[in-house]
Amino acid sequence: LNEVLMLGGLGYQINPSLSLFVGPGWVFNKSPGNGNISHEYRLWEQLNWNVTTNSVYSLLLRSRLEERKHSNYSQIANRLRER
C-alpha cells in the first residue's frame, strides 16, 4: 500500500439542482523506491450543479477548489478541478 486518502465533508443543498460541500482531507504517501513517507493536508470546497435532466441524458457539473499543504514544503498549493 503506497497511498492512503481520507476525505470528510459536510454539504448543504441550496435547491434541487445546486449543492455545496466543504471538508478536510489527509493523504499519506510512501515512496515505493526509497520508502520515504510524506503527508499532505487538504481543505476542499465543492459545488455540484445539476444543469439539466431529461429521459435521454443528464448534465451534471462539479467544481472543486482544494488548498493543499505538503509536509515537505512550506507553501500552500491551490488546485481547481472540474468534472
Side-chain angles (χ1 to χ4, degrees):
L1 184 65
N2 293 329
E3 182 175 275
V4 176
L5 169 64
M6 295 189 310
L7 295 173
L10 295 173
Y12 179 74
Q13 186 173 14
I14 296 171
N15 60 46
S17 64
L18 195 61
S19 300
L20 295 173
F21 294 88
V22 64
W26 179 75
V27 183
F28 168 84
N29 288 303
K30 181 178 179 185
S31 176
N34 56 16
N36 288 344
I37 294 174
S38 65
H39 303 270
E40 180 182 300
Y41 306 96
R42 297 181 183 180
L43 180 63
W44 57 271
E45 302 83 28
Q46 179 172 302
L47 173 72
N48 292 350
W49 181 25
N50 184 354
V51 178
T52 185
T53 301
N54 62 37
S55 61
V56 179
Y57 66 92
S58 293
L59 178 59
L60 307 171
L61 299 177
R62 182 192 85 175
S63 297
R64 179 182 286 183
L65 179 63
E66 297 177 348
E67 295 83 24
R68 304 165 63 182
K69 169 69 175 83
H70 197 276
S71 63
N72 297 338
Y73 305 104
S74 61
Q75 297 92 356
I76 294 176
N78 293 304
R79 177 167 71 174
L80 179 63
R81 302 174 74 181
E82 299 288 334
R83 186 166 93 179

